[in-house]
Amino acid sequence: MIRVLIADDSAFMRKVLSDLFNKQSDFEVAGTAINGKDAVDKVKKLQPDLLTLDVTMPVMDGLNALAIIMEENPVPVVMVSSATQRGADATIRALALGAVDFISKAGGPISKIDTISDELLDKCRSAAKAHVSKFRASESRPVSYRPRLPDPPALKQIEVKRKTGFVLGQKPVINKIPSQSPGSITTTFAPSIGTGKKLVVIGTSTGGPQALQTVITRLPGNLPCGVVVVQHMPAGFTKSLAERLNSISEIAVKEAEHDELIKPGQVYIAPGDFQLRIAPALNGERKILLSKDPPVGNHRPAVNVMFDSAAQFGKDLVSVIMTGMGSDGCKGMKKIKDNGGYSIAQDEPSCVVYGMPKAVVDAGLADEVRPLTKIAEAIVEAVRR
């Protein structure tokens, strides 16, 4: 039996959700909360197996309540709010704070719950099995440590004027030293380490936004290859995810575009509701192809689609599979391994849901299994080989 606490400032929604859960043989409504503060108190008192949490509430909103809950009394959380579809930024922040999943109310605050009831119940059943902990909540914050690629003895000095943004999709490591002219800085670019032909591909699902934050914020800005990510997420949210990661990472992050060349020091996140493939381009480069091809395993984007297309790059490929439900990525990983690529899987204790990595590990396709906080280091080591 899954004991669920419902937090929503709308009495109507509390009633509708309570009725929905009470009709299920595997759910029991442990209680309801009328605002974020009430939710914090009742999580502590009732110790539910699952919390459904609205974003916009009086007294204390859902995001502040979520941060406190994940620090003090971690519990699987599914965000349920009319604000999540319009406010993708709030949704991404909630996932980074430790929410397992989210769903948008249909039609605003007074929602027709029957239009989302099946999806809500499926997500809540899955979320109730997720692993959450105080440690994971702490790990979701940006970190200062990143594995560094060593600089060679001779460095090229390039003078650039101070400006916002980045050059050629890169975020170079900036060493601020006294400049000879006002308004300028000296930027030291470390030449690429290794062959420069490597490519990193990452697949993830449930718990992925939080896992990606942990990994990508640890990648160095001078990584001499591109990184392409498939995160199971609907349209409208991946751009916010990319923008958030870009704002807190040394390496540059963006939502992928069709026919875009993959550049070193750049992370590309597949846009929601598109299949992403990687193809050869002129002069030995690689490019991203997006399509509206049908979902594969109910996923668009699907990790298997990306992995399958990337397998052609053989020994130059470093593949990573992280937290997620199901087995998406396993078939593609087999093709990667058959072609000589390298594979890294997230370990069970650090996964929110040990499904996708488990499928790869059980199939004997993982070259190494690492905890979440060590995956960036593993990527750097694999790229340097």
Side-chain angles (χ1 to χ4, degrees), residues 170-185:
Q170 296 187 14
K171 283 186 175 178
V173 182
I174 297 176
N175 299 318
K176 295 184 179 180
I177 61 175
S179 58
Q180 296 181 351
S181 60
S184 68
I185 58 175

Side-chain angles (χ1 to χ4, degrees), residues 161-172:
K161 293 182 179 179
R162 184 186 303 275
K163 64 177 182 178
T164 59
F166 49 87
V167 180
L168 295 178
Q170 296 187 14
K171 283 186 175 178

Side-chain angles (χ1 to χ4, degrees), residues 196-200 223-227 251 262-266 383:
K197 295 181 181 179
K198 295 284 189 176
L199 174 67
V200 178
L223 193 72
C225 65
V227 179
I251 195 168
I262 299 172
K263 298 295 185 182
Q266 175 78 60
V383 167

Side-chain angles (χ1 to χ4, degrees), residues 9-164:
D9 63 322
S10 164
F12 173 81
M13 282 306 300
R14 292 196 301 273
K15 174 72 163 59
V16 167
L17 289 173
S18 293
D19 289 346
L20 175 64
F21 285 120
N22 282 328
K23 289 178 183 177
Q24 312 306 313
S25 60
D26 54 341
F27 282 96
E28 174 188 339
V29 177
T32 60
I34 61 175
N35 56 52
K37 184 178 183 305
D38 194 22
V40 170
D41 294 339
K42 286 184 176 174
V43 164
K44 186 181 299 184
K45 178 182 178 181
L46 300 174
Q47 297 292 306
D49 301 313
L50 176 73
L51 169 66
T52 66
L53 184 62
D54 192 9
V55 171
T56 306
M57 294 185 289
V59 184
M60 179 187 291
D61 66 23
L63 292 178
N64 284 313
L66 177 64
I68 295 171
I69 289 166
M70 296 309 294
E71 280 291 335
E72 297 181 354
N73 298 279
V75 62
V77 176
V78 174
M79 305 303 295
V80 185
S81 174
S82 59
T84 53
Q85 186 64 52
R86 298 191 308 271
D89 290 344
T91 301
I92 297 304
R93 186 180 168 199
L95 294 171
L97 286 169
V100 174
D101 214 331
F102 70 94
I103 190 168
S104 294
K105 295 176 185 175
I110 306 302
S111 170
K112 292 183 178 180
I113 198 69
D114 57 343
T115 63
I116 60 169
S117 59
D118 289 344
E119 183 184 2
L120 174 62
L121 290 170
D122 286 345
K123 288 189 173 186
C124 284
R125 288 187 177 102
S126 299
K129 302 174 185 177
H131 304 144
V132 296
S133 67
K134 293 181 182 180
F135 172 78
R136 190 180 314 284
S138 298
E139 284 298 321
S140 72
R141 297 195 184 96
V143 296
S144 57
Y145 167 75
R146 301 180 183 94
R148 298 289 305 153
L149 289 173
D151 293 336
L155 299 178
K156 183 178 180 181
Q157 300 289 326
I158 300 177
E159 292 289 329
V160 295
K161 293 182 179 179
R162 184 186 303 275
K163 64 177 182 178
T164 59

Side-chain angles (χ1 to χ4, degrees), residues 303-370:
V303 179
N304 272 325
V305 171
M306 177 180 67
F307 278 7
D308 185 78
S309 69
Q312 64 185 297
F313 302 114
K315 294 181 180 180
D316 289 331
L317 190 67
V318 178
S319 55
V320 183
I321 191 80
M322 301 199 302
T323 177
M325 196 180 343
S327 61
D328 187 25
C330 187
K331 289 183 179 179
M333 189 70 86
K334 185 179 187 309
K335 187 172 181 180
I336 288 171
K337 292 303 302 169
D338 288 344
N339 286 12
Y342 193 78
S343 65
I344 301 165
Q346 184 178 350
D347 73 354
E348 182 174 5
S350 67
C351 281
V352 171
V353 177
Y354 189 56
M356 289 160 55
K358 182 179 188 298
V360 168
V361 172
D362 288 354
L365 300 172
D367 288 304
E368 58 180 308
V369 179
R370 295 271 192 126

